Amino acid sequence: MTTEHVRRTPAPPEGTYLGMPKFATNAKVQLGDNQLRKNLRNATGTIRAKRVARVAEVPEWEELRLAGEAIKNRTLRHLDAYLVQLEESLTRAGAKVHWARDAAEANAIVVSLVKAKGVDEVVKVKSMATQEIELNEALEEAGIAAWETDLAELIVQLGHDRPSHILVPAIHRNRSEVREIFLREMKLYGTPAPDNLTDDPTVLAAAARTHLREKFLRAKVAVSGANFAVAETGTLVVVESEGNGRMCLTLPETLISVVGIEKVVPTLADLEVFMRLLPRSSTGERMNPYTSMWTGATPGDGPQDVHVVLIDNGRTRVLADPEGRPALRCIPCSACLNICPVYERVGGHAYGSVYPGPIGAVLTPQLRGTSSEIDKSLPFASTLCGACFEVCPVRIPIPDMLVHLRHQVADKKRHHPGVEQTAIAAAGWVLADRSHFELAQRAAALAGRLLPGRSHLGPLPWPASPWTDARDLPVPPSESFRAWWQRTRGETA
Amino acid sequence: MRAEGLTVALFATCINDVMFPGTPKAVVTVLERLGCRVEFPLEQTCCGQMFTNTGYFDAAVPDVRNYVKAFSGYDYIVGPSGSCVGAVRHQHPMLAAHAGDEALAAEVDKVVARTYDFTELLVDVLGVTDVGAYFPHRVTYHPTCHSVRVAKVGDRPYQLLSKVKGIDLVPLPDADQCCGFGGTFSVKNPDVSVAMGADKAHHVLETGAEYLVTGDNACLMHIGGLMHRQRAGVRTIHLAELLAHTEGGAR
């Protein structure tokens, strides 16, 4: 056995997202966890109710949604121009701009920037982009410790866990689980939790604050993402609730922000729309507690060494598909996760991506392609109930996009026909023409007549079992509507 | 009555035609009671939604052609399903474009605009909310997702139900949440589908209703299939069948 690399930070779970089985298999495991279902039901129910109340206060909500959609659409249509403008503005303001085609390039840039600084740790602001490129693990491999400072991200990191929600990554944990994690892990990575730690949320938050304090004060480098990047001025925006972001963005000497290229907005004035849409959709608040905006480096104030890493990592591929493009409008708010009845039952881990829920089901297969089992199954992880579109602050037509992605997946399978293709072909033939349909109806009615006195069928073998394992199946009646019509009314149509 | 003499073409939908013929029969009963003349064009098969939503657009195109062939001659087309009517309106134009057939697309646009959910035809076209129904039972209504979010029938079903004589209409908790049917979702993700359906069934039982009513038999087959397995004792009924009941007619 080789000498083990001594880790600086808690190890995440074994395995990779791409190695995960299909959604239905993961979902079944998660469904078996009653505690998880209870945690999710409570958490999503609470946040849904808050969103409804806060949105109801804004009579022009629909106009705001339309404005948000329009601004993002225009930006995406001219993304090349806005990105160049952003780079010019950032450079003018004293920031260094780096371009990364994929996760590996982005990680290499961040690692080399941190190494050049001669430090072996960074503090982090919660960021989806760095989760997506798995920056923490890349830093760990380079001997650099990345400390998450958002409370929920800290719970996930200390819990050797993965995030299960975009906004509340530890939504799957309840407070007694959090207490156990803090007691067990904090002492291994810094200031320990007090011995008399209770599961009172205030007490838990105080323990996190104490644990993080020494890291904030010690850190020379911070890594963040950005909610918005303003092309006109080069201003980056981070929206947060805990103040940990503000600490990271102001205390260290070096600030490295990893920003997806879709985060650009043309002007500062555009923020007026998004700063109204985002908090109400996200946390169900009128305003979020902390909004940090910085424009390059300001002499004598805050980080003097400011870097922005603009990442593509599949985004231009999404942009190239007119049907898939709306996913890039996302201002990660999580409203679609909180409203989704599928997400509420299975949680985020079943989606095999840092982007779970409805938006993940349309974004992940586009960013990663559909060659793995999990990515192929994601477009089908929805009942197409449409609740996600209703709550989306930038009107992403998630149900239509899921159907579009299903078409792409089905099209790929065309060359390897299986049971599904055969069944679809058979049903397609039946319904393609009236005469075929009438033939099939006579067969169904015959089946009905062969089961006299039975209204329903109970458990049946495969292929009926996925339905009948838990649901009785009605027996077709002996006469179809069409047959009844022809018998009683004649073929008058 | 405005309905007098109005000719309405019935889009039965394939699932109702084969599995639940009582529903289109009830549509005929109610519309004829209101003075309409009902026709059933035999060329119709299906809205194609099962194919479209599973990703097989090509398999759905013949259904779009059948729909146009069956209904292009009518001013009023009615279907007792928010989901199938929603699919016709929302997906047929996309499927015609997918087929690259401009003539079909033009026909589709015309037919789609004349396609109504049963509740829309009653409330908007016929201007009726009291259809003379009598149903002396405790009933709860589940607004199916596609009827609300795709066909956008709004509160029309409640308007109709509230005018039914003898009815005890009780609200369904978490009514706006999906029942978990989701077409092929119900067999591709059976465990999640059943988990959602079980919660829906639980809420139905909480109401103490004798009947669960919806405007979509597919959702009803799912929730009803679960309740039947559990011997929950709650019966399921399509809105059209409920509205077909009159004081004289025995249940």
mmCIF file of all heavy atoms in Angstrom, chain A residues 261-299:
data_model
loop_
_atom_site.group_PDB
_atom_site.id
_atom_site.type_symbol
_atom_site.label_atom_id
_atom_site.label_comp_id
_atom_site.label_asym_id
_atom_site.label_seq_id
_atom_site.Cartn_x
_atom_site.Cartn_y
_atom_site.Cartn_z
ATOM 1 N N ILE A 261 -19.745 32.102 -17.395
ATOM 2 C CA ILE A 261 -19.886 33.188 -18.374
ATOM 3 C C ILE A 261 -21.334 33.660 -18.530
ATOM 4 O O ILE A 261 -21.580 34.725 -19.090
ATOM 5 C CB ILE A 261 -19.329 32.791 -19.767
ATOM 6 C CG1 ILE A 261 -19.969 31.489 -20.239
ATOM 7 C CG2 ILE A 261 -17.810 32.702 -19.730
ATOM 8 C CD1 ILE A 261 -19.592 31.135 -21.676
ATOM 9 N N GLU A 262 -22.300 32.865 -18.011
ATOM 10 C CA GLU A 262 -23.705 33.278 -18.142
ATOM 11 C C GLU A 262 -24.107 34.272 -17.056
ATOM 12 O O GLU A 262 -25.238 34.749 -17.051
ATOM 13 C CB GLU A 262 -24.610 32.043 -18.108
ATOM 14 C CG GLU A 262 -24.983 31.511 -16.727
ATOM 15 C CD GLU A 262 -23.858 30.787 -16.001
ATOM 16 O OE1 GLU A 262 -22.702 30.836 -16.466
ATOM 17 O OE2 GLU A 262 -24.136 30.170 -14.950
ATOM 18 N N LYS A 263 -23.192 34.594 -16.148
ATOM 19 C CA LYS A 263 -23.545 35.485 -15.030
ATOM 20 C C LYS A 263 -23.513 36.962 -15.411
ATOM 21 O O LYS A 263 -23.860 37.818 -14.614
ATOM 22 C CB LYS A 263 -22.571 35.263 -13.861
ATOM 23 C CG LYS A 263 -22.675 33.896 -13.221
ATOM 24 C CD LYS A 263 -23.978 33.752 -12.479
ATOM 25 C CE LYS A 263 -24.161 32.324 -12.016
ATOM 26 N NZ LYS A 263 -25.561 31.933 -12.052
ATOM 27 N N VAL A 264 -23.069 37.252 -16.616
ATOM 28 C CA VAL A 264 -22.928 38.645 -17.017
ATOM 29 C C VAL A 264 -24.300 39.303 -17.231
ATOM 30 O O VAL A 264 -25.240 38.660 -17.720
ATOM 31 C CB VAL A 264 -22.034 38.755 -18.287
ATOM 32 C CG1 VAL A 264 -22.662 38.060 -19.460
ATOM 33 C CG2 VAL A 264 -21.695 40.183 -18.616
ATOM 34 N N VAL A 265 -24.418 40.547 -16.758
ATOM 35 C CA VAL A 265 -25.576 41.388 -17.102
ATOM 36 C C VAL A 265 -25.007 42.677 -17.694
ATOM 37 O O VAL A 265 -23.910 43.103 -17.324
ATOM 38 C CB VAL A 265 -26.489 41.696 -15.892
ATOM 39 C CG1 VAL A 265 -27.183 40.443 -15.399
ATOM 40 C CG2 VAL A 265 -25.743 42.371 -14.757
ATOM 41 N N PRO A 266 -25.733 43.311 -18.616
ATOM 42 C CA PRO A 266 -25.144 44.461 -19.306
ATOM 43 C C PRO A 266 -24.804 45.642 -18.397
ATOM 44 O O PRO A 266 -23.691 46.159 -18.441
ATOM 45 C CB PRO A 266 -26.216 44.836 -20.338
ATOM 46 C CG PRO A 266 -26.961 43.564 -20.581
ATOM 47 C CD PRO A 266 -26.986 42.858 -19.262
ATOM 48 N N THR A 267 -25.786 46.089 -17.585
ATOM 49 C CA THR A 267 -25.555 47.339 -16.850
ATOM 50 C C THR A 267 -25.942 47.203 -15.378
ATOM 51 O O THR A 267 -26.690 46.287 -15.006
ATOM 52 C CB THR A 267 -26.404 48.495 -17.432
ATOM 53 O OG1 THR A 267 -27.779 48.217 -17.159
ATOM 54 C CG2 THR A 267 -26.196 48.643 -18.931
ATOM 55 N N LEU A 268 -25.464 48.149 -14.577
ATOM 56 C CA LEU A 268 -25.838 48.170 -13.161
ATOM 57 C C LEU A 268 -27.346 48.316 -13.002
ATOM 58 O O LEU A 268 -27.935 47.754 -12.076
ATOM 59 C CB LEU A 268 -25.140 49.348 -12.458
ATOM 60 C CG LEU A 268 -23.726 49.094 -11.909
ATOM 61 C CD1 LEU A 268 -23.163 50.399 -11.340
ATOM 62 C CD2 LEU A 268 -23.729 48.024 -10.827
ATOM 63 N N ALA A 269 -27.978 49.066 -13.910
ATOM 64 C CA ALA A 269 -29.423 49.288 -13.809
ATOM 65 C C ALA A 269 -30.202 47.967 -13.915
ATOM 66 O O ALA A 269 -31.276 47.828 -13.338
ATOM 67 C CB ALA A 269 -29.882 50.254 -14.899
ATOM 68 N N ASP A 270 -29.616 46.986 -14.629
ATOM 69 C CA ASP A 270 -30.302 45.698 -14.762
ATOM 70 C C ASP A 270 -30.451 44.991 -13.414
ATOM 71 O O ASP A 270 -31.345 44.159 -13.230
ATOM 72 C CB ASP A 270 -29.542 44.797 -15.734
ATOM 73 C CG ASP A 270 -29.531 45.360 -17.145
ATOM 74 O OD1 ASP A 270 -30.582 45.870 -17.574
ATOM 75 O OD2 ASP A 270 -28.476 45.311 -17.798
ATOM 76 N N LEU A 271 -29.569 45.325 -12.490
ATOM 77 C CA LEU A 271 -29.627 44.672 -11.178
ATOM 78 C C LEU A 271 -30.914 45.001 -10.440
ATOM 79 O O LEU A 271 -31.352 44.248 -9.583
ATOM 80 C CB LEU A 271 -28.422 45.079 -10.324
ATOM 81 C CG LEU A 271 -27.055 44.562 -10.798
ATOM 82 C CD1 LEU A 271 -25.965 45.087 -9.879
ATOM 83 C CD2 LEU A 271 -27.027 43.040 -10.818
ATOM 84 N N GLU A 272 -31.521 46.130 -10.779
ATOM 85 C CA GLU A 272 -32.747 46.503 -10.056
ATOM 86 C C GLU A 272 -33.821 45.422 -10.246
ATOM 87 O O GLU A 272 -34.608 45.147 -9.367
ATOM 88 C CB GLU A 272 -33.253 47.876 -10.494
ATOM 89 C CG GLU A 272 -34.304 47.840 -11.577
ATOM 90 C CD GLU A 272 -34.838 49.203 -11.946
ATOM 91 O OE1 GLU A 272 -35.487 49.818 -11.099
ATOM 92 O OE2 GLU A 272 -34.599 49.642 -13.083
ATOM 93 N N VAL A 273 -33.825 44.793 -11.414
ATOM 94 C CA VAL A 273 -34.792 43.725 -11.670
ATOM 95 C C VAL A 273 -34.406 42.465 -10.883
ATOM 96 O O VAL A 273 -35.223 41.886 -10.167
ATOM 97 C CB VAL A 273 -34.858 43.415 -13.184
ATOM 98 C CG1 VAL A 273 -35.699 42.174 -13.447
ATOM 99 C CG2 VAL A 273 -35.427 44.612 -13.935
ATOM 100 N N PHE A 274 -33.155 42.078 -10.998
ATOM 101 C CA PHE A 274 -32.747 40.803 -10.397
ATOM 102 C C PHE A 274 -32.680 40.866 -8.874
ATOM 103 O O PHE A 274 -32.952 39.872 -8.203
ATOM 104 C CB PHE A 274 -31.407 40.356 -10.988
ATOM 105 C CG PHE A 274 -31.505 40.089 -12.457
ATOM 106 C CD1 PHE A 274 -30.895 40.918 -13.379
ATOM 107 C CD2 PHE A 274 -32.261 39.025 -12.925
ATOM 108 C CE1 PHE A 274 -31.014 40.692 -14.733
ATOM 109 C CE2 PHE A 274 -32.395 38.785 -14.284
ATOM 110 C CZ PHE A 274 -31.772 39.624 -15.192
ATOM 111 N N MET A 275 -32.351 42.038 -8.336
ATOM 112 C CA MET A 275 -32.287 42.141 -6.882
ATOM 113 C C MET A 275 -33.679 42.141 -6.252
ATOM 114 O O MET A 275 -33.822 41.952 -5.049
ATOM 115 C CB MET A 275 -31.511 43.401 -6.455
ATOM 116 C CG MET A 275 -30.027 43.339 -6.782
ATOM 117 S SD MET A 275 -29.220 41.840 -6.181
ATOM 118 C CE MET A 275 -29.445 42.064 -4.433
ATOM 119 N N ARG A 276 -34.695 42.337 -7.072
ATOM 120 C CA ARG A 276 -36.063 42.185 -6.567
ATOM 121 C C ARG A 276 -36.534 40.749 -6.768
ATOM 122 O O ARG A 276 -37.247 40.199 -5.947
ATOM 123 C CB ARG A 276 -37.010 43.152 -7.291
ATOM 124 C CG ARG A 276 -36.689 44.618 -7.008
ATOM 125 C CD ARG A 276 -37.731 45.527 -7.602
ATOM 126 N NE ARG A 276 -38.988 45.456 -6.838
ATOM 127 C CZ ARG A 276 -40.149 45.925 -7.286
ATOM 128 N NH1 ARG A 276 -40.221 46.481 -8.469
ATOM 129 N NH2 ARG A 276 -41.227 45.827 -6.543
ATOM 130 N N LEU A 277 -36.154 40.152 -7.889
ATOM 131 C CA LEU A 277 -36.612 38.789 -8.182
ATOM 132 C C LEU A 277 -35.944 37.753 -7.278
ATOM 133 O O LEU A 277 -36.596 36.820 -6.800
ATOM 134 C CB LEU A 277 -36.303 38.435 -9.646
ATOM 135 C CG LEU A 277 -37.155 39.076 -10.739
ATOM 136 C CD1 LEU A 277 -36.568 38.769 -12.106
ATOM 137 C CD2 LEU A 277 -38.600 38.571 -10.658
ATOM 138 N N LEU A 278 -34.644 37.922 -7.061
ATOM 139 C CA LEU A 278 -33.871 36.840 -6.433
ATOM 140 C C LEU A 278 -34.224 36.564 -4.967
ATOM 141 O O LEU A 278 -34.569 35.428 -4.650
ATOM 142 C CB LEU A 278 -32.367 37.110 -6.631
ATOM 143 C CG LEU A 278 -31.400 36.064 -6.072
ATOM 144 C CD1 LEU A 278 -31.715 34.666 -6.597
ATOM 145 C CD2 LEU A 278 -29.948 36.424 -6.422
ATOM 146 N N PRO A 279 -34.165 37.556 -4.063
ATOM 147 C CA PRO A 279 -34.425 37.209 -2.658
ATOM 148 C C PRO A 279 -35.836 36.654 -2.431
ATOM 149 O O PRO A 279 -36.009 35.701 -1.676
ATOM 150 C CB PRO A 279 -34.237 38.534 -1.912
ATOM 151 C CG PRO A 279 -33.479 39.413 -2.840
ATOM 152 C CD PRO A 279 -33.833 38.978 -4.221
ATOM 153 N N ARG A 280 -36.819 37.238 -3.099
ATOM 154 C CA ARG A 280 -38.190 36.764 -2.895
ATOM 155 C C ARG A 280 -38.361 35.335 -3.405
ATOM 156 O O ARG A 280 -39.073 34.535 -2.808
ATOM 157 C CB ARG A 280 -39.193 37.702 -3.584
ATOM 158 C CG ARG A 280 -39.357 39.025 -2.847
ATOM 159 C CD ARG A 280 -40.329 39.969 -3.561
ATOM 160 N NE ARG A 280 -40.096 41.348 -3.164
ATOM 161 C CZ ARG A 280 -40.830 42.008 -2.249
ATOM 162 N NH1 ARG A 280 -41.839 41.426 -1.674
ATOM 163 N NH2 ARG A 280 -40.534 43.250 -1.929
ATOM 164 N N SER A 281 -37.703 35.012 -4.513
ATOM 165 C CA SER A 281 -37.816 33.663 -5.068
ATOM 166 C C SER A 281 -36.989 32.657 -4.276
ATOM 167 O O SER A 281 -37.325 31.484 -4.201
ATOM 168 C CB SER A 281 -37.309 33.648 -6.514
ATOM 169 O OG SER A 281 -38.057 34.526 -7.305
ATOM 170 N N SER A 282 -35.910 33.151 -3.705
ATOM 171 C CA SER A 282 -34.914 32.252 -3.144
ATOM 172 C C SER A 282 -35.185 31.908 -1.685
ATOM 173 O O SER A 282 -35.460 30.763 -1.338
ATOM 174 C CB SER A 282 -33.553 32.936 -3.297
ATOM 175 O OG SER A 282 -32.537 32.108 -2.887
ATOM 176 N N THR A 283 -35.117 32.919 -0.826
ATOM 177 C CA THR A 283 -35.311 32.678 0.601
ATOM 178 C C THR A 283 -36.681 33.157 1.062
ATOM 179 O O THR A 283 -37.016 33.005 2.233
ATOM 180 C CB THR A 283 -34.231 33.427 1.418
ATOM 181 O OG1 THR A 283 -34.161 34.787 0.957
ATOM 182 C CG2 THR A 283 -32.877 32.784 1.241
ATOM 183 N N GLY A 284 -37.456 33.731 0.157
ATOM 184 C CA GLY A 284 -38.750 34.268 0.547
ATOM 185 C C GLY A 284 -38.595 35.518 1.400
ATOM 186 O O GLY A 284 -39.367 35.770 2.311
ATOM 187 N N GLU A 285 -37.563 36.307 1.101
ATOM 188 C CA GLU A 285 -37.336 37.559 1.824
ATOM 189 C C GLU A 285 -37.485 38.728 0.858
ATOM 190 O O GLU A 285 -37.227 38.592 -0.330
ATOM 191 C CB GLU A 285 -35.914 37.598 2.400
ATOM 192 C CG GLU A 285 -35.662 36.562 3.472
ATOM 193 C CD GLU A 285 -34.179 36.476 3.808
ATOM 194 O OE1 GLU A 285 -33.372 36.162 2.919
ATOM 195 O OE2 GLU A 285 -33.837 36.716 4.975
ATOM 196 N N ARG A 286 -37.851 39.894 1.413
ATOM 197 C CA ARG A 286 -37.944 41.083 0.566
ATOM 198 C C ARG A 286 -36.550 41.482 0.093
ATOM 199 O O ARG A 286 -36.351 41.893 -1.042
ATOM 200 C CB ARG A 286 -38.564 42.242 1.344
ATOM 201 C CG ARG A 286 -39.985 41.960 1.768
ATOM 202 C CD ARG A 286 -40.619 43.205 2.384
ATOM 203 N NE ARG A 286 -41.965 42.890 2.817
ATOM 204 C CZ ARG A 286 -42.293 42.643 4.086
ATOM 205 N NH1 ARG A 286 -41.383 42.707 5.033
ATOM 206 N NH2 ARG A 286 -43.526 42.328 4.398
ATOM 207 N N MET A 287 -35.586 41.425 1.030
ATOM 208 C CA MET A 287 -34.186 41.708 0.694
ATOM 209 C C MET A 287 -33.330 40.661 1.371
ATOM 210 O O MET A 287 -33.663 40.196 2.451
ATOM 211 C CB MET A 287 -33.760 43.083 1.225
ATOM 212 C CG MET A 287 -34.263 44.263 0.436
ATOM 213 S SD MET A 287 -33.674 45.801 1.202
ATOM 214 C CE MET A 287 -31.945 45.758 0.766
ATOM 215 N N ASN A 288 -32.214 40.337 0.755
ATOM 216 C CA ASN A 288 -31.277 39.452 1.443
ATOM 217 C C ASN A 288 -30.437 40.315 2.385
ATOM 218 O O ASN A 288 -30.241 41.512 2.147
ATOM 219 C CB ASN A 288 -30.391 38.753 0.425
ATOM 220 C CG ASN A 288 -29.754 39.734 -0.517
ATOM 221 O OD1 ASN A 288 -30.452 40.317 -1.343
ATOM 222 N ND2 ASN A 288 -28.469 39.963 -0.359
ATOM 223 N N PRO A 289 -29.931 39.722 3.481
ATOM 224 C CA PRO A 289 -29.203 40.517 4.481
ATOM 225 C C PRO A 289 -27.910 41.159 3.954
ATOM 226 O O PRO A 289 -27.588 42.271 4.343
ATOM 227 C CB PRO A 289 -28.905 39.502 5.583
ATOM 228 C CG PRO A 289 -29.973 38.467 5.429
ATOM 229 C CD PRO A 289 -30.226 38.377 3.958
ATOM 230 N N TYR A 290 -27.138 40.478 3.121
ATOM 231 C CA TYR A 290 -25.858 41.036 2.674
ATOM 232 C C TYR A 290 -25.760 41.021 1.156
ATOM 233 O O TYR A 290 -25.884 39.966 0.530
ATOM 234 C CB TYR A 290 -24.677 40.214 3.215
ATOM 235 C CG TYR A 290 -24.522 40.279 4.708
ATOM 236 C CD1 TYR A 290 -25.221 39.389 5.529
ATOM 237 C CD2 TYR A 290 -23.675 41.217 5.302
ATOM 238 C CE1 TYR A 290 -25.083 39.438 6.905
ATOM 239 C CE2 TYR A 290 -23.527 41.274 6.681
ATOM 240 C CZ TYR A 290 -24.236 40.385 7.482
ATOM 241 O OH TYR A 290 -24.098 40.439 8.840
ATOM 242 N N THR A 291 -25.543 42.179 0.565
ATOM 243 C CA THR A 291 -25.236 42.255 -0.858
ATOM 244 C C THR A 291 -23.876 42.937 -0.989
ATOM 245 O O THR A 291 -23.730 44.097 -0.606
ATOM 246 C CB THR A 291 -26.303 43.062 -1.615
ATOM 247 O OG1 THR A 291 -27.565 42.423 -1.429
ATOM 248 C CG2 THR A 291 -25.981 43.116 -3.107
ATOM 249 N N SER A 292 -22.886 42.198 -1.481
ATOM 250 C CA SER A 292 -21.543 42.769 -1.644
ATOM 251 C C SER A 292 -21.302 43.032 -3.120
ATOM 252 O O SER A 292 -21.559 42.171 -3.959
ATOM 253 C CB SER A 292 -20.481 41.795 -1.119
ATOM 254 O OG SER A 292 -20.684 41.552 0.256
ATOM 255 N N MET A 293 -20.826 44.230 -3.409
ATOM 256 C CA MET A 293 -20.493 44.587 -4.792
ATOM 257 C C MET A 293 -19.087 45.163 -4.793
ATOM 258 O O MET A 293 -18.779 46.023 -3.964
ATOM 259 C CB MET A 293 -21.486 45.622 -5.329
ATOM 260 C CG MET A 293 -22.928 45.128 -5.295
ATOM 261 S SD MET A 293 -24.157 46.428 -5.615
ATOM 262 C CE MET A 293 -24.074 46.533 -7.375
ATOM 263 N N TRP A 294 -18.241 44.673 -5.689
ATOM 264 C CA TRP A 294 -16.901 45.242 -5.772
ATOM 265 C C TRP A 294 -16.476 45.350 -7.229
ATOM 266 O O TRP A 294 -16.884 44.554 -8.069
ATOM 267 C CB TRP A 294 -15.884 44.432 -4.952
ATOM 268 C CG TRP A 294 -15.561 43.065 -5.482
ATOM 269 C CD1 TRP A 294 -14.443 42.698 -6.151
ATOM 270 C CD2 TRP A 294 -16.348 41.875 -5.339
ATOM 271 N NE1 TRP A 294 -14.475 41.348 -6.453
ATOM 272 C CE2 TRP A 294 -15.643 40.828 -5.976
ATOM 273 C CE3 TRP A 294 -17.605 41.581 -4.754
ATOM 274 C CZ2 TRP A 294 -16.127 39.525 -6.044
ATOM 275 C CZ3 TRP A 294 -18.075 40.282 -4.822
ATOM 276 C CH2 TRP A 294 -17.335 39.275 -5.463
ATOM 277 N N THR A 295 -15.702 46.375 -7.487
ATOM 278 C CA THR A 295 -15.289 46.677 -8.855
ATOM 279 C C THR A 295 -13.767 46.685 -8.894
ATOM 280 O O THR A 295 -13.135 47.669 -8.490
ATOM 281 C CB THR A 295 -15.862 48.045 -9.284
ATOM 282 O OG1 THR A 295 -17.281 48.029 -9.061
ATOM 283 C CG2 THR A 295 -15.585 48.315 -10.755
ATOM 284 N N GLY A 296 -13.217 45.554 -9.273
ATOM 285 C CA GLY A 296 -11.756 45.437 -9.328
ATOM 286 C C GLY A 296 -11.145 45.643 -7.946
ATOM 287 O O GLY A 296 -11.693 45.191 -6.936
ATOM 288 N N ALA A 297 -10.024 46.346 -7.902
ATOM 289 C CA ALA A 297 -9.338 46.601 -6.631
ATOM 290 C C ALA A 297 -9.432 48.085 -6.303
ATOM 291 O O ALA A 297 -9.285 48.933 -7.185
ATOM 292 C CB ALA A 297 -7.874 46.185 -6.735
ATOM 293 N N THR A 298 -9.725 48.376 -5.022
ATOM 294 C CA THR A 298 -9.777 49.766 -4.577
ATOM 295 C C THR A 298 -8.572 50.011 -3.676
ATOM 296 O O THR A 298 -8.451 49.351 -2.645
ATOM 297 C CB THR A 298 -11.081 50.026 -3.789
ATOM 298 O OG1 THR A 298 -12.178 49.606 -4.597
ATOM 299 C CG2 THR A 298 -11.235 51.501 -3.445
ATOM 300 N N PRO A 299 -7.682 50.936 -4.059
ATOM 301 C CA PRO A 299 -6.459 51.127 -3.271
ATOM 302 C C PRO A 299 -6.767 51.405 -1.801
ATOM 303 O O PRO A 299 -7.619 52.240 -1.484
ATOM 304 C CB PRO A 299 -5.799 52.347 -3.945
ATOM 305 C CG PRO A 299 -6.324 52.349 -5.342
ATOM 306 C CD PRO A 299 -7.706 51.803 -5.258
#
